[in-house]
Amino acid sequence: MKLAGLKSLESSHDDSIWATTWVPPSTTRPHALLLTGGLDEAVKVWRTGPTDDDVVLERTNTGHSLGVVSVAAHPSGVIAASAALDSVVRVFDVDTNHTIATLEAPPSETWHMQFNPMGTFLAIAGGSSMSVKVWDTTSWQLVSTLTIPRSDISKPSDKTATKKFALSVAWSPDGRRLACGSMDGTITVFDMDTGKFLHHLEGHLMPVRTLAFSPVDPRVLFSGSDDGHIHMYDAQGKSLIGSLSGHSSWVLSVDPSPDGAAIASGSSDKSVKLWDLAMRAAVQSMTNHTDMVWGVAFRPPSGTGPRSGRLASVSDDKSISLYDYS
């Protein structure tokens, strides 16, 4: 497996780019689109052809009054959501930019979010509320607030309470579990059939900024932390499967490849790494970016051509990089 650099688009935003995701193809649009969100308060929609290496700006969506920190795409490919430091989540039609819903929360309550695989719910890491908010995507009503309980091994003396800030969320591919990463390094797993807390996953000692389940095994959860490590957990069995080390600074984003054989990671050490999960080692390190890499995202599967495997990365350097994954 390898990555090959295809294209780097400099100055694609007016400020740091903190979020990216791919919008799957829809019934009316045969190709995936790339969404990016920046501290310039903009969400941009990019078209990348199935066989060419070009990145073309389709439109710039405005509406936030502070920097955009997360973007999420509905599995239908029709709608997406953006969350910003203005504590507003905007849900919009991807192809028309029409606003579907506006979800409001107190300050710092919308840090990271993800739609469940069925598209029926949107989970939002609730920041300093120490919870995950779950919204129904039909009525756009808040249907659940999952409170993050204190970890059994938390030390009552070292400001643990102030560190239980919810930073990241991820749904399992079967939609039955939801994981949340926190500022204190713990990962909380919820059973979404009952809405109840299952257990904590321990191992990180610093903020867990990114989580992603394996697309081929609903038990396997990947996490990235400010401690520089990527962990693989059995989220059901509550055990640490392995640890991947190689970044020299914070791990800000991880995303597994659609075939489940690799994961990509972005770090504040300015690199994008590709990890072979069978070897449990980094097989490649890309250094296109000149600043912190906040987001990496594999494109949803579409076709079998030479450019069918695609990875995108975004950075504080305001650029987007595309890679061929094979």
Side-chain angles (χ1 to χ4, degrees):
M1 61 184 65
K2 66 178 181 178
L3 294 175
L6 293 177
K7 176 91 174 179
S8 286
L9 190 65
E10 308 297 330
S11 302
S12 50
H13 277 256
D14 293 333
D15 206 335
S16 301
I17 310 174
W18 273 18
T20 190
T21 194
W22 291 90
V23 182
S26 68
T27 56
T28 59
R29 177 180 22 83
H31 306 307
L33 296 171
L34 184 68
L35 283 187
T36 56
L39 294 190
D40 56 1
E41 305 171 9
V43 175
K44 297 194 175 187
V45 183
W46 306 85
R47 175 169 47 84
T48 66
T51 57
D52 61 68
D53 305 333
D54 246 350
V55 186
V56 179
L57 180 63
E58 289 272 281
R59 73 187 62 84
T60 299
N61 301 347
T62 57
H64 289 292
S65 58
L66 287 172
V68 177
V69 296
S70 182
V71 288
H74 191 274
S76 68
V78 175
I79 63 173
S82 57
L85 295 171
D86 58 9
S87 302
V88 170
V89 174
R90 178 175 178 261
V91 184
F92 58 94
D93 183 294
V94 174
D95 295 313
T96 67
N97 194 30
H98 174 70
T99 299
I100 306 295
T102 301
L103 315 178
E104 296 186 6
S108 300
E109 301 307 286
T110 54
W111 193 250
H112 183 253
M113 58 189 176
Q114 189 177 68
F115 288 94
N116 71 334
M118 292 70 71
T120 51
F121 298 110
L122 175 65
I124 300 173
S128 57
S129 70
M130 300 186 289
S131 67
V132 179
K133 312 283 187 183
V134 182
W135 297 77
D136 181 276
T137 60
T138 301
S139 63
W140 295 110
Q141 297 296 310
L142 180 65
V143 293
S144 183
T145 298
L146 307 173
T147 301
I148 301 169
R150 198 179 179 91
S151 171
D152 292 340
I153 67 166
S154 295
K155 302 175 191 173
S157 60
D158 58 307
K159 306 179 185 174
T160 302
T162 63
K163 293 183 181 179
K164 190 64 82 174
F165 187 101
L167 283 173
S168 51
V169 290
W171 291 90
S172 62
D174 58 9
R176 300 188 63 187
R177 285 175 178 78
L178 183 72
C180 175
S182 298
M183 186 76 76
D184 66 355
T186 58
I187 300 168
T188 308
V189 181
F190 296 95
D191 182 326
M192 296 310 292
D193 291 336
T194 63
K196 296 193 178 298
F197 163 76
L198 285 178
H199 47 251
H200 289 295
L201 301 174
E202 309 289 354
H204 289 298
L205 301 176
M206 297 177 72
V208 178
R209 297 185 186 270
T210 178
L211 293 170
F213 276 90
S214 165
V216 298
D217 187 344
R219 295 173 62 108
V220 176
L221 176 69
F222 303 101
S223 61
S225 168
D226 284 9
D227 60 20
H229 301 297
I230 299 166
H231 284 175
M232 299 169 56
Y233 291 97
D234 179 341
Q236 184 173 321
K238 195 184 172 183
S239 60
L240 179 64
I241 300 171
S243 182
L244 307 176
S245 301
H247 282 295
S248 60
S249 190
W250 304 353
V251 180
L252 301 174
S253 180
V254 296
D255 196 40
S257 60
D259 60 11
I263 60 169
S265 60
S267 168
S268 59
D269 66 10
K270 308 176 188 177
S271 73
V272 172
K273 291 186 184 294
L274 183 69
W275 305 80
D276 184 316
L277 294 178
M279 296 171 55
R280 299 204 184 163
V283 292
Q284 207 165 0
S285 185
M286 308 298 285
T287 56
N288 306 48
H289 293 292
T290 59
D291 211 331
M292 299 165 68
V293 180
W294 280 99
V296 291
F298 279 99
R299 187 172 66 182
S302 58
T304 57
R307 296 290 181 260
S308 60
R310 189 72 60 86
L311 176 74
S313 63
V314 297
S315 167
D316 265 345
D317 65 12
K318 310 176 191 176
S319 76
I320 300 168
S321 285
L322 283 185
Y323 315 85
D324 177 32
Y325 168 69
S326 59

